[in-house]
Amino acid sequence: MKIIQVTNVEKFVAQVLPKQPQKNKSIVESILKNVQKNGDSAIRKYEKKFSSAKITSLRLSQNEINDAFSKVSKNKIDAIQLSKSRLEKTESAVKSILKNKIINTDGIKISKKFVPIQSVGCYIPGGLARYPSSVIMSVIPAKIAGVKRIVVVSPPNFNGKIDPLTIVAADLCGANEIYRVGGAQAIAALSFGTKSISKVDKIVGPGGAFVTIAKSMVSERTAIDMLAGPTELGIIADATVNPRYIALDLISQSEHSNDTFCYLITTSEKLAKSVDKIITELSNKIKRNNFVKTSLKENGFIAICKNNSDMIKLANELAPEHLQIMTKNPNIFASKITSSGLVLLGNDTPSSASDYLLGSNHILPTNGFGKIRGSLSVLDFIKIDTQISTSKSVLSKISKYMEIFTEAEGLPNHYEAVRGRIQ
């Protein structure tokens, strides 16, 4: 990994932030238009083109779901159930905070209710790996929120099959429908609807470049959760930490793909050199080392800052998806972090564990969006329903103030709608 002395945080951030690819936009746009026009036949065309799968039925039958269960061991089902139950506990706790309210002010009654979105589509990636854990992370918050229709889409392999564990996870978590379709064509189907796949109100879940671009393009008509790009891991560490832990954590997240963004921020040159040496030693021995080597070489770095303040400033500017704080007093650093998707405290809280079994959600903001939102949660599947009622006497009391506002804004008929009721 590159070891860089940071003298100016702002200039350094501008240099190291990954550039977002633009080349695929026209391809994605053509896919979206084709699916909108030709529906299922366009989906089958793209699945054959991208995965070599010849697909007849897009939706999985109950027999296929049952068959998936027969191929999954009890231990794997237990793992899904444990992850599911821990996330359910977290999301239920969040939902319990959302209490309906009635506000009475001078005869005006306003009610605020928290109601679930009616339908959502959960995109579950495939391709470079399989992600049954992403099923849990997207379906469970929707289920806890009370969403009535939860659709899962996931790309098939060349045989037209979805990974059995992904199917089992979707069924155990309560998905209503499962479809074998991936890529931009899946996003198009969820947004526009086809004969086989009815459109949804919101699309959630991570994906590759085509999926992310497609979500961005359809967001004008269908709500989305976020534009989740390649995995990001930032680590703040001091000289007290075992460098091997840091190396293992950087490797764990960089194995996702060639374009992950993983880095260490420290004030210790000795730690920086130790971590780099260990990564070099391990990189030839580990599985998926093609992804790890490419990603850490092309996008990774070790930043050596002048002081703790610069470490915090750099982390807040980069706003990583995951931020591990591995220092003598992690809580002191954490109290000054404002922009990360997920903060993990201490030497024994690796981001890889949070991806599966700590009860937190691994669908997190990337590309700096940690500055304005956190992980996917029950809040993404709930909207505030507002109802209001008033009376003529209330309108009379506010009439002169209405006239002031409507005159100032040049909208006289707004005032007439009130005046006509109180004359």
Side-chain angles (χ1 to χ4, degrees):
M1 294 177 73
K2 299 181 288 287
I3 300 178
I4 307 169
Q5 295 280 348
V6 179
T7 55
N8 184 296
V9 171
E10 288 85 357
K11 287 183 179 179
F12 180 77
V13 169
Q15 291 169 359
V16 299
L17 281 176
K19 303 298 183 291
Q20 302 306 313
Q22 303 294 318
K23 61 181 180 180
N24 296 322
K25 285 190 174 181
S26 60
I27 299 172
V28 172
E29 187 175 22
S30 67
I31 292 172
L32 296 179
K33 288 181 177 178
N34 194 1
V35 173
Q36 184 178 23
K37 181 180 179 181
N38 297 306
D40 292 348
S41 62
I43 290 175
R44 293 189 180 95
K45 168 190 166 183
Y46 290 121
E47 289 304 331
K48 186 167 180 59
K49 178 179 180 179
F50 297 127
S51 65
S52 301
K54 188 175 181 181
I55 294 172
T56 51
S57 174
L58 296 176
R59 182 171 179 175
L60 267 65
S61 67
Q62 189 58 52
N63 285 339
E64 287 175 299
I65 295 171
N66 294 340
D67 183 58
F69 272 89
S70 71
K71 296 176 180 176
V72 173
S73 68
K74 182 181 182 301
N75 284 342
K76 289 180 179 178
I77 290 177
D78 288 345
I80 289 173
Q81 294 284 25
L82 179 59
S83 177
K84 172 178 174 285
S85 65
R86 288 187 172 174
L87 187 60
E88 283 173 337
K89 185 175 182 179
T90 301
E91 296 299 336
S92 295
V94 174
K95 189 184 178 186
S96 70
I97 300 169
L98 307 178
K99 306 294 186 183
N100 295 338
K101 295 289 183 182
I102 295 177
I103 305 102
N104 289 298
T105 307
D106 298 330
I108 304 164
K109 181 180 177 182
I110 299 176
S111 70
K112 295 283 186 179
K113 295 181 181 180
F114 296 93
V115 298
I117 293 170
Q118 293 300 296
S119 62
V120 299
C122 302
Y123 186 90
I124 311 303
L128 298 178
R130 293 290 181 261
Y131 293 99
S133 59
S134 290
V135 176
I136 300 166
M137 302 298 166
S138 56
V139 174
I140 288 301
K143 199 72 178 175
I144 296 296
V147 177
K148 290 183 178 178
R149 178 174 173 249
I150 303 173
V151 178
V152 165
V153 294
S154 191
N157 61 19
F158 65 95
N159 287 323
K161 305 288 186 181
I162 296 177
D163 170 57
L165 199 56
T166 297
I167 297 171
V168 168
D171 191 66
L172 289 175
C173 290
N176 304 105
E177 304 162 29
I178 308 171
Y179 295 93
R180 60 185 117 239
V181 54
Q185 59 271 25
I187 303 302
L190 293 172
S191 179
F192 303 122
T194 71
K195 185 177 180 180
S196 296
I197 308 173
S198 298
K199 65 181 180 179
V200 298
D201 297 321
K202 189 170 187 176
I203 302 169
V204 304
F210 277 39
V211 168
T212 302
I213 294 169
K215 284 174 68 177
S216 175
M217 288 182 171
V218 303
S219 64
E220 294 179 358
R221 57 173 291 133
T222 306
I224 64 169
D225 53 347
M226 63 185 94
L227 299 176
T231 292
E232 300 171 353
L233 170 63
I235 299 176
I236 292 177
D238 61 20
T240 67
V241 184
N242 185 334
R244 186 176 177 84
Y245 292 176
I246 297 171
L248 290 171
D249 291 341
L250 290 169
I251 288 170
S252 74
Q253 293 297 341
S254 63
E255 75 172 336
H256 276 286
S257 58
N258 288 329
D259 51 359
T260 64
F261 187 40
C262 301
Y263 49 86
L264 167 64
I265 302 171
T266 185
T267 54
S268 171
E269 187 171 347
K270 181 181 178 181
L271 179 68
K273 290 179 178 178
S274 295
V275 170
D276 184 50
K277 182 181 178 182
I278 293 168
I279 288 175
T280 301
E281 291 171 351
L282 292 175
S283 61
N284 289 321
K285 306 173 185 177
I286 57 175
K287 296 177 180 178
R288 294 176 71 84
N289 65 358
N290 54 327
F291 294 120
V292 172
K293 285 182 177 181
T294 301
S295 185
L296 293 181
K297 180 182 178 181
E298 297 297 325
N299 309 311
F301 61 85
I302 300 174
I304 302 177
C305 293
K306 294 179 291 185
N307 50 48
N308 289 349
S309 294
D310 274 6
M311 286 204 293
I312 292 165
K313 184 177 181 180
L314 179 54
N316 278 328
E317 286 296 318
L318 291 172
E321 176 186 15
H322 310 85
L323 178 66
Q324 292 181 209
I325 302 179
M326 303 171 73
T327 61
K328 187 175 181 180
N329 297 300
N331 288 306
I332 294 175
F333 283 88
S335 67
K336 299 174 183 177
I337 296 297
T338 59
S339 63
S340 297
L342 175 67
V343 179
L344 301 115
L345 303 176
N347 297 344
D348 297 314
T349 316
S351 53
S352 58
S354 73
D355 282 344
Y356 299 102
L357 291 162
L358 299 187
S360 58
N361 202 305
H362 78 204
I363 299 175
L364 296 159
T366 62
N367 300 322
F369 283 100
K371 293 177 180 179
I372 54 94
R373 69 155 295 148
S375 67
L376 191 75
S377 77
V378 69
L379 300 176
D380 286 284
F381 302 97
I382 287 176
K383 73 182 189 76
I384 300 176
D385 183 45
T386 302
Q387 296 180 6
I388 184 168
S389 63
T390 185
S391 63
K392 284 187 179 181
S393 63
V394 169
L395 294 179
S396 294
K397 291 177 183 177
I398 67 171
S399 175
K400 66 178 181 179
Y401 303 108
M402 274 288 298
E403 189 172 13
I404 290 169
F405 272 113
T406 57
E407 283 184 3
E409 296 188 356
L411 299 170
N413 293 305
H414 276 61
Y415 175 64
E416 292 302 324
V418 170
R419 191 165 74 102
R421 286 173 163 79
I422 61 177
Q423 282 183 330

